[in-house]
Amino acid sequence: MPQQLVDKNAEGRDARQYHIGIAPGEVGSVALLPGDPFRVPLIAEFLTDVREVAHNREHRTMTGLYKGKLITATSTGMGCPSTAIAVEELARVGVTSFIRVGSSAALQQGIEPGDLLVSEGALRNDGTTAAYVHPGYPAVPDLSIALELRRTAERLQTARGGFRVHSGINASDDAFYAEGPEWIGRLSGMGILNVEMEASALYVVARLRGLRAGMVCACSSNLVAGASLYDEKNARLKDGWVRSIEVALDTAVALDL
């Protein structure tokens, strides 16, 4: 019998999606993307008319209204592979813009846990995007989203204080525990602002599919200033999560994503 090779990109486009469990018409045009499924309800606290749409594997989705706009929140899980799947499948059911809200470790002095980190681009130290594009292909956010995230974060900082806003290039790594002192030092020496595990896949997939994406994270630790995930200072991280969510939501409304 002749081979019948499956084209995954052509399969299931009008169906309930295999991994995220969502069908067309169940979400809005913009999605906030935390990594942790237990942070999706944290986003829902800002919304009205909240509905849980699906929770399959690491992908939990809730929707609701924020200042009259329908917002979707879907967790990606940890790392680029599951992030790429979430973005691909959310795009199939109607999402056109994405804002990642998560945690990230700082790589420059002067950044404290709870500060906000706005991404201007990502160093692609992952395997997933290598399967999509040439090694030299850039991983960059939508310019309008990145600029509005920065402006909105600065307005929030002016109004409330207690944290600072930083923007720059982040690194997206695959192996959390392989980030030893030598690698951390190299990244810091290149002027990389922070390191996380999802942005490069988000940006590359979004660009390839004609979508818009950005990222605002809360600083969880500072890897060049001795502030680890296990320090008491990390109690400020939840405050940072809340701030990052508010910034992302106001950006979605301001740009009518």
Side-chain angles (χ1 to χ4, degrees), residues 13-246:
R13 286 199 163 268
D14 297 320
R16 187 168 298 280
Q17 296 302 296
Y18 183 79
H19 298 91
I20 62 174
I22 301 170
E26 293 183 337
V27 293
S29 60
V30 59
L32 271 59
L33 304 179
D36 186 347
F38 293 100
R39 258 184 277 137
V40 172
L42 188 61
I43 296 172
E45 291 180 11
F46 286 85
L47 311 178
T48 59
D49 299 327
V50 173
R51 182 169 72 94
E52 180 152 14
V53 179
H55 191 174
N56 189 46
R57 304 187 187 194
E58 63 266 55
H59 304 297
R60 185 178 189 180
T61 297
M62 302 177 79
T63 62
L65 296 175
Y66 181 77
K67 297 182 179 179
K69 184 169 189 64
L70 182 61
I71 301 291
T72 296
T74 298
S75 53
T76 62
M78 288 187 288
C80 284
S82 61
T83 298
I85 288 171
V87 173
E88 293 272 25
E89 295 191 359
L90 284 166
R92 289 178 168 207
V93 298
V95 178
T96 56
S97 297
F98 302 84
I99 302 177
R100 168 164 149 68
V101 287
S103 306
S104 187
L107 296 170
Q108 301 298 323
Q109 295 285 347
I111 305 175
E112 296 287 338
D115 284 357
L116 292 185
L117 307 164
V118 177
S119 172
E120 298 174 355
L123 184 154
R124 291 171 45 212
N125 191 40
D126 71 277
T128 301
T129 59
Y132 276 92
V133 290
H134 183 277
Y137 190 95
V140 291
D142 176 88
L143 179 59
S144 295
I145 292 178
L147 290 173
E148 188 61 33
L149 287 171
R150 173 79 195 202
R151 284 192 291 263
T152 304
E154 288 175 340
R155 285 195 294 269
L156 185 65
Q157 176 196 31
T158 300
R160 299 187 191 167
F163 70 100
R164 286 186 286 182
V165 179
H166 314 267
S167 60
I169 297 171
N170 65 273
S172 293
D173 280 353
D174 267 351
F176 183 90
Y177 285 106
E179 293 169 349
E182 182 180 355
W183 177 239
I184 291 167
R186 285 181 62 192
L187 291 176
S188 181
M190 289 188 284
I192 302 297
L193 186 73
N194 56 294
V195 59
E196 48 79 68
M197 300 181 70
E198 291 82 24
S200 56
L202 169 61
Y203 296 158
V204 168
V205 173
R207 288 283 173 173
L208 293 178
R209 305 305 183 217
L211 310 167
R212 304 174 71 182
M215 180 176 77
V216 55
C217 283
C219 175
S220 58
S221 56
N222 191 316
L223 301 179
V224 298
S228 83
L229 287 166
Y230 299 97
D231 289 346
E232 289 184 10
K233 282 185 178 181
N234 202 48
R236 295 185 60 195
L237 176 57
K238 185 174 180 180
D239 293 336
W241 287 339
V242 171
R243 287 189 284 260
S244 71
I245 291 166
E246 188 170 357

